[in-house]
Amino acid sequence: MSIELGQPVTNFSATATGDTTITLSELKGKQVVIYFYPKASTPGCTTEGGDFRDRKHQFDAANTVIIGVSRDGIRAQENFKAKQNFNFELISDKDEQVCQLFDVIKLKKMYGKEHLGIERSTFLIDSEGKLAKAWRGVKVPGHVDEVLAAAETLHAEH
């Protein structure tokens, strides 16, 4: 079951860094970028998170909250956030509740072996809680600029 563009995103609550619980419904009135990455502290995920970090003030200006999600435990997420000076929260989705909601767990191949893992994906939710845009199979270079442009456009329309 996959979420559809223009449809309300099912509410969820999840454990996040900073000793917080993120509940989607509590973010109503703000746009939300949820980006899924395979593993904390790996090169692509570090670059992607850094790109979001470096543009956070622009996302703030577009009334947009940034949330990162992976299956790493909360301690790994806290360490990743601290080491990279991320200025947004990371969700620890060990039970894959949020991953399943957004249908980002895919069969992947690494070193010739197949395993289930997170497909790098980003979702933009509008201020009313509806899915406005989805990017799947993301390549990191230039991606955050594209997400920012979409968030700014969406904010300007509301």
Side-chain angles (χ1 to χ4, degrees):
M1 144 115 184
S2 192
I3 56 173
E4 307 265 329
L5 288 175
Q7 295 300 309
V9 176
T10 303
N11 188 37
F12 65 84
S13 286
T15 302
T17 50
D19 202 23
T20 60
T21 297
I22 291 177
T23 301
L24 186 61
S25 62
E26 291 174 3
L27 298 173
K28 221 173 196 131
K30 292 191 176 288
Q31 296 176 168
V32 181
V33 165
I34 299 181
Y35 80 96
F36 292 84
Y37 56 94
K39 188 149 181 54
S41 301
T42 55
C45 301
T46 300
T47 299
E48 184 179 27
D51 288 348
F52 277 112
R53 175 198 61 220
D54 296 346
R55 289 169 187 75
K56 183 175 183 297
H57 65 284
Q58 292 164 281
F59 280 99
D60 288 345
N63 192 36
T64 305
V65 175
I66 301 165
I67 302 167
V69 183
S70 77
R71 298 185 302 179
D72 295 291
I74 195 66
R75 183 156 45 241
Q77 296 290 53
E78 290 285 6
N79 291 343
F80 187 35
K81 180 184 172 190
K83 188 173 179 191
Q84 301 304 326
N85 292 312
F86 290 159
N87 45 11
F88 52 87
E89 302 306 334
L90 303 175
I91 288 175
S92 168
D93 193 31
K94 284 179 86 89
D95 64 1
E96 298 179 2
Q97 172 202 353
V98 184
C99 290
Q100 299 290 346
L101 180 64
F102 287 88
D103 191 30
V104 298
I105 303 291
K106 303 291 180 194
L107 194 60
K108 299 168 81 175
K109 266 196 167 129
M110 189 172 352
Y111 309 119
K113 289 191 166 77
E114 290 188 338
H115 69 282
L116 287 173
I118 291 179
E119 176 184 51
R120 191 180 306 278
S121 307
T122 304
F123 300 89
L124 175 60
I125 301 168
D126 72 15
S127 58
E128 294 165 8
K130 293 181 182 154
L131 184 64
K133 199 142 176 60
W135 295 264
R136 294 184 181 273
V138 166
K139 301 286 180 251
V140 172
H143 174 62
V144 172
D145 291 327
E146 195 179 326
V147 176
L148 177 60
E152 289 172 335
T153 300
L154 185 63
H155 179 60
E157 291 169 358
H158 283 280

